[in-house]
Amino acid sequence: MISEYVTFGLAPAMRAGGVLADGTYQTHRDFLDFVVDGRPLLARLADLDAVSPLAAGLGPSVFAEQVRRLLLETESPLEGSRFVIYGCPECEGPACGAVTAVVERDGPDVVWRDFGWQTDETADVERDGYHGIGPYRFRGEEYRAALERLLSADGAPAPELPAGPRALLIGQRAAVLAKLAAALRRIGIGAEITLDAACAHADELRKYGAVVFGRTVGQEERDAVRDAFAAARSDAVCVTALTPLVPVLVAQVEQALDRTPHDRRRLLRLTAVAGGAEAVVEIASACRVRLVAHRLDRLSRHHARELFDDVLHPGAHRIPLDTRALRGRSFLEARTSDTVLVTPVKR
């Protein structure tokens, strides 16, 4: 019997998209994560790349249905009163696997128990269970209040959930910005290109979460755009393009769009040391970290190479790197499922 209570809440979270080292695209997803006893539940699953069912882009009716399932107002879609807690960010089907749990009432309370990884109609908790996760007992009133806030009278999505990320690209190098816009749209980020945003309407400016200045945009123009966004009371993050390399620019945009509070981030710091001989990566909680090198050769061709992929535990880690992958003008990207950091490698 589970006698101790834990708190239940929801918090905005992000699954970072990007252009990976092998050229494939990874979709950007905004969602609401479950916060159990003050800590995001997903952070307890170190190497899991997944999102909760409360994700942006589902449409009002589907989003409302997911909320009502967790409220136990509709039947479980899986055998044994099991519900999907986290699923694949790239598709809606169960074929890729999902974290499921039994969600049930116990008097006035709600209990989540028997967490497991499920790929079939039934779950084998003995074989595929997350034995260090749960069980959790939530006070029913607190649990229901957190979820019911997500449902308006017409079933519209939660006001806490962004309608969709957007980036504004400013500059004159049309070819580079067009490629960047196409890549951002491919991973689920809206992108528009303009030569001048200083005179745009405040309501329009507030729709953007990131602003990318092309490398030809002068300081006076940048200051005018920043002033316009400040006057519009926008919290958009302005960044200057580091390079014409599209995967690096996408990583910059993802970094700018990240609104996760610092105390809930898993990837805290990335530094390239001594011309790329090693990287310093600081981690707040155990998670899978990938390091990718990007460089331009003498013919301005892009080369990408994965240098590290493993689960790291909390703390600062010094990771030796192959300097051959960081010759010339190069950049180092660190990626977890929810965070991207990118830095130029200085000589």
Side-chain angles (χ1 to χ4, degrees):
M1 177 178 247
I2 314 161
S3 58
E4 294 186 4
Y5 286 100
V6 294
T7 60
F8 178 86
L10 299 166
M14 180 183 86
R15 190 270 191 148
V19 183
L20 304 185
D22 60 2
T24 58
Y25 290 83
Q26 180 169 287
T27 305
H28 176 107
R29 297 294 301 275
D30 289 307
F31 64 100
L32 293 174
D33 197 7
F34 308 110
V35 180
V36 177
D37 250 7
R39 183 184 174 194
L41 183 58
L42 188 57
R44 306 177 195 219
L45 305 169
D47 60 347
L48 185 66
D49 180 16
V51 299
S52 82
L54 306 178
L58 296 178
S61 60
V62 177
F63 183 89
E65 176 64 21
Q66 296 294 345
V67 175
R68 292 192 176 99
R69 282 181 179 175
L70 293 171
L71 285 167
L72 301 177
E73 294 178 1
T74 61
E75 292 295 322
S76 164
L78 303 171
E79 293 183 10
S81 298
R82 300 189 71 83
F83 292 78
V84 173
I85 305 301
Y86 295 109
C88 175
E90 301 288 346
C91 65
E92 298 180 6
C96 297
V99 176
T100 67
V102 175
V103 179
E104 61 186 4
R105 294 185 183 90
D106 186 3
D109 303 329
V110 175
V111 173
W112 286 15
R113 62 175 175 84
D114 297 338
F115 287 78
W117 180 254
Q118 186 168 344
T119 55
D120 300 317
E121 293 183 1
T122 59
D124 187 337
V125 178
E126 287 298 319
R127 183 190 66 193
D128 301 319
Y130 290 97
H131 301 294
I133 306 295
Y136 301 121
R137 176 181 291 275
F138 306 114
R139 289 181 172 85
E141 183 177 348
E142 176 187 58
Y143 178 88
R144 286 186 288 273
L147 289 168
E148 287 172 351
R149 280 197 295 269
L150 306 181
L151 297 175
S152 63
D154 60 358
E160 297 95 326
L161 201 61
R166 290 178 66 186
L168 182 62
L169 317 180
I170 301 176
Q172 297 179 345
R173 295 189 64 182
V176 173
L177 294 183
K179 290 178 182 178
L180 173 58
L184 291 173
R185 292 166 187 153
R186 178 80 178 267
I187 67 172
I189 297 174
E192 288 83 38
I193 303 172
T194 185
L195 295 178
D196 182 14
C199 298
H201 193 277
D203 289 341
E204 182 64 23
L205 295 181
R206 282 193 289 269
K207 295 178 181 178
Y208 296 101
V211 179
V212 179
F213 295 117
R215 300 174 70 201
T216 61
V217 178
Q219 189 61 51
E220 185 176 340
E221 295 173 85
R222 298 179 198 179
D223 291 342
V225 171
R226 288 191 176 97
D227 289 344
F229 273 87
R233 297 183 179 179
S234 165
D235 63 354
V237 175
C238 297
V239 297
T240 299
L242 290 172
T243 172
L245 295 178
V246 170
V248 175
L249 296 177
V250 171
Q252 280 191 271
V253 172
E254 284 287 357
Q255 185 173 333
L257 288 172
D258 193 349
R259 298 294 189 271
T260 308
H262 196 268
D263 61 352
R264 289 184 176 172
R265 296 188 182 189
R266 291 193 277 187
L267 178 57
L268 301 178
R269 181 167 62 100
L270 169 67
T271 306
V273 180
E278 65 178 10
V280 176
V281 180
E282 187 175 353
I283 305 298
S285 62
C287 59
R288 179 185 176 190
V289 178
R290 286 174 288 171
L291 296 180
V292 177
H294 300 274
R295 71 179 182 91
L296 279 168
D297 65 17
R298 294 179 180 179
L299 298 177
S300 296
R301 293 174 300 192
H302 175 220
H303 300 269
R305 180 177 164 190
E306 189 172 278
L307 302 179
F308 179 85
D309 184 354
D310 204 353
V311 174
L312 295 178
H313 297 287
H317 302 264
R318 302 182 77 92
I319 301 172
L321 304 175
D322 185 347
T323 55
R324 292 173 296 179
L326 294 164
R327 290 176 296 181
R329 191 174 168 200
S330 56
F331 306 85
L332 187 63
E333 173 190 343
R335 175 179 293 274
T336 67
S337 63
D338 58 358
T339 310
V340 176
L341 297 179
V342 63
T343 183
V345 178
K346 297 180 179 179
R347 296 295 166 187

